[in-house]
Amino acid sequence: FAWRDAVGPHLAVEREGRAVGDAEILASTRDALVAFARGADASAPALALVETAGGPASPGPSGTLQADLLRPLRLPCVLVGDGGLGGISATLCAHDALTMRGLDTPLLVLLDGGLGNEAAIARHTRRAGTRVFAVPPLAKPAGGGEASTSAVAKWLRLT
């Protein structure tokens, strides 16, 4: 599902008038995952990711919070957290939004803001069985602008 404007799905639906119901999103997601599994090579590991817009408490197209919308699929979650100033609270609130709904969150990937937030976050997520992995920041190009494809590839190999 995609809309023209880079805004939350609930707002895009309102602006563009192209509503999508929760049942349609669930069925489409389930069908895509089943098709992926059927097409995967049984002799090799395979990983399917379902990316959402915003966080677990962000509204989906109908206004239902995304954690509630996708809960019936019972997919394990990989939460991407914020390692910057204010990131501990935002990340722990997102983690709680998932775990309080009974969703397994075995991994939390933290975009490292250089503050060492991963230790504080790990202390609070450990009881839920969530491992925290800090990803080093992508270096900014000396002259400004966007990082090159080779710089991003090198960064990915480091993580």
Side-chain angles (χ1 to χ4, degrees), residues 28-131:
S28 179
T29 303
R30 184 178 290 117
D31 292 349
L33 290 170
V34 167
F36 173 81
R38 286 186 180 141
D41 180 354
S43 66
L47 174 68
L49 296 174
V50 177
E51 182 181 8
T52 63
S58 295
S62 72
T64 301
L65 299 184
Q66 292 188 48
D68 295 326
L69 171 62
L70 295 172
R71 187 175 184 273
L73 296 176
R74 295 288 301 141
L75 299 171
C77 302
V78 175
L79 179 62
V80 177
D82 180 0
L85 184 62
I88 293 172
S89 179
T91 300
L92 290 176
C93 287
H95 184 263
D96 285 351
L98 295 168
T99 58
M100 289 191 314
R101 287 168 170 80
L103 293 167
D104 296 328
T105 310
L107 182 62
L108 192 156
V109 178
L110 190 68
L111 303 176
D112 186 7
L115 301 175
N117 287 353
E118 63 271 14
I121 291 170
R123 278 194 301 276
H124 295 281
T125 61
R126 191 174 296 123
R127 69 180 176 277
T130 304
R131 292 184 58 217

Side-chain angles (χ1 to χ4, degrees), residues 131-149:
R131 292 184 58 217
V132 177
F133 177 73
V135 176
L138 176 62
K140 304 237 188 264
E146 297 292 319
S148 68
T149 303

